[in-house]
C-alpha cells in the first residue's frame, strides 16, 4: 500500500463521515496498491476502514502478490464473489464507489440488510486530484511524448489523407513511444467533421481548405496525455482564420488566470467570455476542461457549474473550441499543472495558426 496516499484517503473519509468504503475502480485500486487489474466480469473490491484496515477482495485468477499493509482475500470462480466481503463489513453506512457493478452491490445488500450504501467515491477521487511528485513526472513525460506525436501527425497531413488512416497512424506512433493499450481511439476530423467535438474518424478524404482537428490522447505508463491542435490544409478562409485566432486567444486567456485559489468556473469564464464577445458563444458547446491523470477524464471539472477551486498539484485540460455546423471546427487543448504561483503548461507544441501541405 502507498501509505502517503492512503493517509489522504483516510482524512477524506473522516471529512465525509465514512467509517468504511469499497473501492473497485481499476485506476483507484492501482493508485493505492500498485496493482493494475482490469477485472472484466469478475470482482475486485478494495475495502478500507477508518482505522486503516485495508483488504483487497479479488479473484485468484488475478495472480496478485502479497504486500505489506494489505490483506489479500481471494476467491475462486466457483465461489460467491461477495461472500467474504459481506462477512467483513461493519453494520451501518458503507461508501461505495461509482464504478462498482450493481450485480455485486445488490448481492452484497441481500446478504447484509443492516448495511446502507452511499456514494463513496469522493475520498479517493479527491486524493487523486492532487498529483504527487512521481505522478507529475509521469504526466510531464507523457505530454512531452504527445508533443512529438502531434508534430509527426501534422507532418503526415497531405493530399489524399483519410481520417481513419491518419487516426491509425497516430495510434501507431504512440505504440512506438511505449504507450499503453487503450480502446479510446484518436479523434481526427477534416473540414465540416470538425464541427462535431467527438466525431469518430471515418473514410472522409482531406480537401483543400479543410481544418484538421487532431485531438490525440492515450495513457503512457498508466498516466494520460491529451492535447488538441488544429491546422489548415493548403489554405485558410477569412472565417477559418477568425475562428482560429479566437480559440487561441481563449486558450491563452484561460491559462493566464490559473493560479491557486481561482474557482474553476472563473477559468471557464475567462475563455468563454472571449468567445462570446467575438460572436461565437453558441458554438462553444462543451465545458472548458477536465481533470486528468490515471484516467483521461477525472475530477476536477473545469466548467461554469463546477464548485472546484484550483489548487497546487491539480492537472486538467484547457480546451476551448468553436464548432460551426456544416462548415468547420477548431479546438486547441493543453494540459496544465497548477503550481504554487500559477500554472505550468505541459504541452509545448506550437499554437500559432499553421497552413500545411
Amino acid at each position: 500500500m502507498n501509505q502517503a496516499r492512503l493517509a489522504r484517503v483516510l482524512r477524506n473519509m473522516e471529512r465525509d463521515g465514512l467509517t468504511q468504503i469499497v473501492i473497485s475502480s481499476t485506476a483507484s485500486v492501482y493508485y493505492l496498491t500498485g496493482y493494475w487489474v482490469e477485472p472484466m466480469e469478475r470482482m475486485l473490491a478494495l475495502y478500507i476502514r477508518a482505522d486503516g484496515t485495508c483488504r483487497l477482495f479479488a479473484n485468484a485468477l488475478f495472480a496478485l502478490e502479497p504486500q505489506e499493509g494489505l490483506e489479500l482475500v481471494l476467491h475462486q470462480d466457483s465461489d460467491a464473489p461477495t461472500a467474504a466481503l459481506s462477512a467483513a463489513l461493519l453494520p451501518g453506512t458503507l461508501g461505495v464507489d461509482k464504478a462498482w457493478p450493481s450485480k455485486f452491490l445488490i448481492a452484497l445488500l441481500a446478504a447484509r440488510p443492516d448495511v446502507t450504501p452511499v456514494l463513496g467515491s469522493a475520498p479517493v477521487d479527491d486524493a487523486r486530484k492532487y498529483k504527487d511528485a512521481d505522478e507529475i513526472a509521469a504526466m510531464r513525460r507523457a505530454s512531452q511524448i504527445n508533443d512529438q506525436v502531434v508534430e509527426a501527425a501534422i507532418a503526415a497531413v497531405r493530399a489524399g489523407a483519410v481520417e481513419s488512416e491518419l487516426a491509425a497512424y497516430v495510434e501507431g506512433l504512440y505504440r512506438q513511444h511505449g504507450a499503453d493499450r487503450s480502446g479510446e481511439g484518436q479523434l481526427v476530423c477534416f473540414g465540416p467533421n470538425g464541427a462535431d467535438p467527438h466525431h469518430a474518424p471515418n473514410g472522409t478524404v482531406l480537401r483543400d481548405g479543410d481544418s484538421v482537428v487532431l485531438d490525440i490522447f492515450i495513457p503512457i505508463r498508466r498516466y494520460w496525455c491529451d492535447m488538441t491542435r488544429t491546422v489548415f490544409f493548403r489554405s485558410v478562409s477569412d472565417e477559418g482564420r477568425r475562428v482560429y485566432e479566437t480559440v487561441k486567444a481563449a486558450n491563452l486567456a484561460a491559462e493566464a488566470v490559473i493560479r491557486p485559489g481561482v474557482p474553476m468556473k472563473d477559468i471557464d469564464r475567462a475563455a468563454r467570455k472571449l468567445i462570446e464577445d467575438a460572436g461565437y458563444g453558441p458554438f462553444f458547446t462543451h465545458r472548458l476542461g477536465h481533470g486528468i491523470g490515471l484516467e483521461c477524464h477525472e475530477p476536477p471539472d473545469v466548467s461554469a457549474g463546477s464548485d472546484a477551486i484550483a489548487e497546487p498539484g491539480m492537472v486538467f485540460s484547457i480546451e476551448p473550441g468553436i464548432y460551426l455546423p456544416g462548415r468547420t471546427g477548431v479546438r486547441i487543448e493543453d494540459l496544465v499543472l497548477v503550481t504554487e504561483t500559477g500554472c505550468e503548461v505541459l504541452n509545448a507544441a506550437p499554437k500559432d495558426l499553421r497552413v500545411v501541405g
Side-chain angles (χ1 to χ4, degrees):
M1 290 289 289
N2 186 310
Q3 293 301 317
R5 294 175 182 178
L6 176 61
R8 289 197 288 271
V9 172
L10 293 174
R11 288 194 295 270
N12 292 341
M13 288 174 63
E14 182 178 11
R15 175 201 67 191
D16 295 344
L18 292 171
T19 57
Q20 55 184 349
I21 61 174
V22 170
I23 299 300
S24 66
S25 155
T26 291
S28 290
V29 171
Y30 174 81
Y31 174 77
L32 290 166
T33 70
Y35 296 134
W36 186 271
V37 179
E38 296 177 359
M40 295 183 286
E41 77 277 11
R42 294 182 170 91
M43 191 187 85
L44 177 75
L46 177 61
Y47 176 58
I48 302 175
R49 286 186 183 173
D51 64 3
T53 298
C54 297
R55 295 175 186 156
L56 184 62
F57 295 83
N59 195 294
L61 287 176
F62 301 154
L64 302 178
E65 295 292 332
Q67 61 174 268
E68 186 177 352
L70 177 65
E71 179 184 353
L72 273 179
V73 183
L74 303 179
H75 59 269
Q76 307 289 331
D77 273 350
S78 56
D79 298 329
T82 58
L85 175 57
S86 298
L89 297 180
L90 300 171
T93 300
L94 172 68
V96 179
D97 85 357
K98 58 185 180 288
W100 209 34
S102 59
K103 67 178 182 178
F104 298 130
L105 178 58
I106 291 169
L108 187 78
L109 296 179
R112 290 295 303 268
D114 59 336
V115 169
T116 302
V118 298
L119 187 60
S121 296
V124 182
D125 283 354
D126 288 349
R128 283 175 50 191
K129 283 194 298 189
Y130 306 98
K131 274 53 182 180
D132 60 29
D134 290 341
E135 292 180 296
I136 290 170
M139 299 200 71
R140 283 182 177 135
R141 179 180 180 276
S143 286
Q144 289 166 0
I145 289 172
N146 216 13
D147 286 338
Q148 298 173 47
V149 170
V150 79
E151 289 301 323
I154 291 170
V157 175
R158 57 177 59 95
V162 177
E163 284 182 343
S164 58
E165 293 175 359
L166 184 54
Y169 176 67
V170 170
E171 197 78 14
L173 289 170
Y174 280 133
R175 294 289 180 270
Q176 293 173 26
H177 285 85
D180 302 332
R181 178 175 57 84
S182 170
E184 295 288 336
Q186 306 303 320
L187 299 185
V188 176
C189 318
F190 295 163
N193 292 341
D196 176 0
H198 283 169
H199 168 73
N202 56 29
T204 298
V205 178
L206 185 63
R207 301 177 302 177
D208 289 6
D210 276 350
S211 60
V212 179
V213 180
L214 298 164
D215 185 348
I216 62 174
F217 45 91
I218 207 164
I220 301 174
R221 297 183 185 176
R222 305 299 183 198
Y223 283 86
W224 282 79
C225 57
D226 187 8
M227 69 180 302
T228 308
R229 292 295 183 265
T230 302
V231 299
F232 293 85
F233 182 59
R234 289 187 173 166
S235 65
V236 56
S237 66
D238 290 342
E239 178 181 64
R241 188 177 297 275
R242 284 194 303 272
V243 168
Y244 188 92
E245 294 299 346
T246 300
V247 171
K248 176 187 171 185
N251 170 276
L252 296 175
E255 292 174 357
V257 303
I258 298 170
R259 62 184 183 279
V262 174
M264 294 295 177
K265 64 182 64 176
D266 289 356
I267 301 171
D268 180 280
R269 188 62 194 153
R272 198 168 301 275
K273 183 177 187 305
L274 198 150
I275 290 174
E276 289 171 352
D277 288 348
Y280 294 110
F283 305 104
F284 180 16
T285 54
H286 54 75
R287 64 188 175 186
L288 180 64
H290 56 83
I292 187 168
L294 286 168
E295 295 174 284
C296 190
H297 288 191
E298 60 182 47
D301 182 42
V302 188
S303 73
S306 177
D307 293 326
I309 305 295
E311 297 181 68
M314 290 182 173
V315 179
F316 47 85
S317 67
I318 297 295
E319 49 182 300
I322 294 174
Y323 311 97
L324 304 179
R327 288 141 67 190
T328 192
V330 171
R331 180 164 62 255
I332 301 173
E333 174 187 15
D334 297 314
L335 297 187
V336 299
L337 164 68
V338 182
T339 66
E340 295 294 336
T341 57
C343 82
E344 174 187 341
V345 179
L346 299 185
N347 298 104
K351 290 186 278 193
D352 290 339
L353 189 151
R354 284 193 271 181
V355 178
V356 301

